Amino acid sequence: MPPLASARTFTPGPLRGALDVPGDKSISHRALILGAFADALIEIRNLNPGRDVRATLEALIALGASVEGNGSTVRVRGGRLREPMGAIDCMNSGSTARMLLGVCAGADVRARFDGDASLRRRPMEPVAAQLRAFGAKIETTDGTLPLLIDGTPQIETRRFILITPSAQIKSALLLAGLFARVPVTILGDKRSRDHTERLLRYLGAEIAWDGMRVELLAGPTRRDPIDVAGDFSAAGFFITAATIAPGSACEIRGVGVNPTRTGLLDALLQMGADIELRNAREVAGEPVADIVVRHAPLRGVTLGPDVALRAIDEIPLLAVAAAFAAGETKITGVRELRSKESDRVAAIERLMAAVGIEVEAAPNGLTIRGGTPRGEGASVDTHDDHRIAMATAVLAAGAGPLAIDSDASIDVSFPAFLDTLRSVQHA
Ligand code: S3P
């Protein structure tokens, strides 16, 4: 059940000290799904504790996988998946819906998929169209949830061209091939996040990719435990807050720094941020580091679509940083932001309006005129979008007090966010 909603005010102040972030949400979904493929127990540690990952875990149980443990360490055993009793409730999670559609397509499972009001507004036709080419039958409701899928053992196509450079759709196709036990080739990627590929390789699968093309020839052969790296997107809130709030110096430990995810880092460094990566290491096939951030003055920059794709969930944070930068920042390649958990272009407009910063939104771009953002207690409507709720806290850290209508959505990816912020923010 979603937590009780409560309005909340965020205050300004520097961030000092060390902090940890939860396990990566994207990797957690994939670890559970690959666990459900294995015909033996796989232990997953540091699983993301948010509601989205819970949606995937419960859906896999409904599909016949067994899951032991309930906290950040779980043990999953898969095998043959079956038709679930009721509809699969993907709650707020686009990743759950799209990737499990791939699983059902490949595993020859019939299932109904549904989700909350926000997920029911998000496009499912692109993933459905690509899985139909695979042979699955999918009936959507005007291109959205609820939908009915009938998986297929009849593989019609093993070579796909991605219609949109989405990691969720790429992963759905890889998982369809994996669960159907047929090789697949996917063309047309644009360096979208490669967590599925890395995890498959870590578990011994025969797979090759170069950012544009992925080829999966054979599935996993190992059952090594999976340690989930810290979530870069969760770290992004603290990286940005420490950059804009004068007097900040903080360290975020054990963060995944997969280059397909770190567009925010590259953009902030280009803007003049003071960020250092230390203690680089590898965890379950993913690069990990500790990130040290100090406050720094920023300048406006122009960011191309390649950065936007590698910072797709951090564009609201880039807009927050741009509000503090001298001069204009232009961000292109933001079209997809309109169909995330909320319309995030509109959310960025509300955030900027709350602190008196000018923003211009074009269909595929944003221009932010930086200056001296001032938070004077205005309330930002989050539209129940976790990343907008947390981005408001970040903006307030540098600009002055701001409020949100409800903090209930934060649980989707980072239930301990408010406590973590409290532990490092000083008045
Ligand atoms: C995700 C991919 C991105 C991202 C989402 C998680 C994933 O979506 O916005 O939060 O785990 O693959 P798209 O693939 O639709 O760009």
Side-chain angles (χ1 to χ4, degrees), residues 389-403:
M390 293 184 273
T392 309
V394 173
L395 182 55
L402 288 172

Side-chain angles (χ1 to χ4, degrees), residues 25-26 29-30 95 98-99 165-169 171 193 309 312-313 340-341 387:
K25 180 158 83 72
S26 284
H29 287 296
R30 290 156 168 87
S95 300
R98 298 189 180 116
M99 289 197 255
S166 153
Q168 292 178 351
I169 299 180
S171 298
R193 63 190 67 188
L309 184 64
I312 190 73
D313 294 333
K340 293 293 175 188
E341 286 84 326
R387 299 208 190 276

